[in-house]
């Protein structure tokens, strides 16, 4: 009888211990699940809105053919699938040529990286600044005539940090003498620096300087 009673006590204790352990594990799993759902959702949304679209843009950008300079060029400002971009990323005009930006969807600007716009200089010395202001109406346009030969980088004011940047090549400049093609400004976020590096590669290739 003592042996039987002792065995029953051990089983009872084992059952209580198991119950407490199960409850603790269940609580931990519930907490982990809640943290993962909340944090994971926010992280995924961030990737979809910037990095995912940026990757899509990068892929398209490398396929673009810049071509020879012309008197005019057209650039679309596009919001598509939660991403934002200029299309094409790089255009080329003659000295005295005009670029026209057209808002296809969303709200965008075409703004030069110029000290007059409180930005680092990523345009040729002596070049005029430009800023379209925000264009929200579908079909709204802005144009700028480029009188100084060189490479110009520009951005969309509300979407700069998600990589909505573009470039204009004017004439046939020496790529080794272009401020825009130097190392991207250190004060800019990584997303902007990465996009500028990508644009620099496209511009250099267009100017025959693949090195």
């Amino acid at each position: 009888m003592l042996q039987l009673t002792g065995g029953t006590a051990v089983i009872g204790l084992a059952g209580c211990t198991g119950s407490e352990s199960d409850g603790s594990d269940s609580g931990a799993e519930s907490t982990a699940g809640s943290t993962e759902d909340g944090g994971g959702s926010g992280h995924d949304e961030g990737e979809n809105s910037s990095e995912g679209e940026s990757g899509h843009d990068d892929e398209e950008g490398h396929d673009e053919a810049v071509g020879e300079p012309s008197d005019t060029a057209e650039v679309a400002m596009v919001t598509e699938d939660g991403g934002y971009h200029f299309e094409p990323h790089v255009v080329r005009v003659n000295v005295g040529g005009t670029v026209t930006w057209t808002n296809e969807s969303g709200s965008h600007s075409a703004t030069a990286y110029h000290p007059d716009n409180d930005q680092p200089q990523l345009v040729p010395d002596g070049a005029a600044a430009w800023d379209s202001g925000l264009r929200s109406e579908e079909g709204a346009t802005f144009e700028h005539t480029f009188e100084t030969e060189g490479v110009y980088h520009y951005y969309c004011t509300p979407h700069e940090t998600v990589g909505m940047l573009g470039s204009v090549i004017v004439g046939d400049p020496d790529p080794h003498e272009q401020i825009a093609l130097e190392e991207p400004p250190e004060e800019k976020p990584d997303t902007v620096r990465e996009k500028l590096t990508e644009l620099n590669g496209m511009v250099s290739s267009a100017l025959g300087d693949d090195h």
Side-chain angles (χ1 to χ4, degrees):
M1 286 296 293
L2 286 173
Q3 288 178 343
L4 289 173
T5 303
T8 305
V10 171
I11 293 169
L13 286 172
C16 290
T17 303
S19 176
E20 288 176 358
S21 174
D22 292 345
S24 173
D25 291 347
S26 175
E29 289 173 1
S30 175
T31 302
S34 175
T35 303
E36 185 177 344
D37 290 344
S41 175
H43 181 65
D44 290 344
E45 287 173 5
E47 288 186 342
N48 289 338
S49 63
S50 58
E51 293 178 11
E53 180 62 23
S54 175
H56 174 72
D57 283 350
D58 291 350
E59 202 170 290
E60 284 187 350
H62 290 301
D63 292 338
E64 288 180 5
V66 177
E68 295 299 315
S70 58
D71 289 336
T72 61
E74 303 281 338
V75 179
M77 301 187 288
V78 181
T79 297
E80 186 176 30
D81 297 331
Y84 317 94
H85 61 277
F86 293 106
E87 187 179 304
H89 295 79
V90 181
V91 293
R92 190 174 184 181
V93 294
N94 294 312
V95 176
T98 299
V99 177
T100 301
W101 287 267
T102 302
N103 185 43
E104 297 290 347
S105 51
S107 297
H108 306 288
S109 81
T111 307
Y113 278 107
H114 194 289
D116 287 354
N117 294 328
D118 296 321
Q119 290 288 344
Q121 181 182 340
L122 297 179
V123 300
D125 285 332
W130 81 86
D131 181 8
S132 69
L134 199 62
R135 292 290 194 267
S136 299
E137 183 179 350
E138 184 177 340
T141 63
F142 170 79
E143 65 179 36
H144 180 75
T145 299
F146 293 82
E147 302 291 355
T148 303
E149 185 174 62
V151 176
Y152 299 70
H153 288 325
Y154 67 93
Y155 65 100
C156 170
T157 303
H159 303 123
E160 176 191 15
T161 56
V162 293
M164 187 169 178
L165 281 67
S167 304
V168 178
I169 304 172
V170 179
D172 190 22
D174 183 343
H176 300 288
E177 297 179 356
Q178 302 306 306
I179 296 173
L181 298 182
E182 295 176 359
E183 191 71 18
E186 292 183 0
E187 66 268 27
K188 286 297 180 182
D190 287 345
T191 51
V192 174
R193 287 171 54 83
E194 288 168 5
K195 191 67 178 183
L196 286 171
T197 299
E198 178 202 346
L199 290 171
N200 286 348
M202 295 172 64
V203 170
S204 295
S205 294
L207 294 175
D209 182 29
D210 293 328
H211 178 71

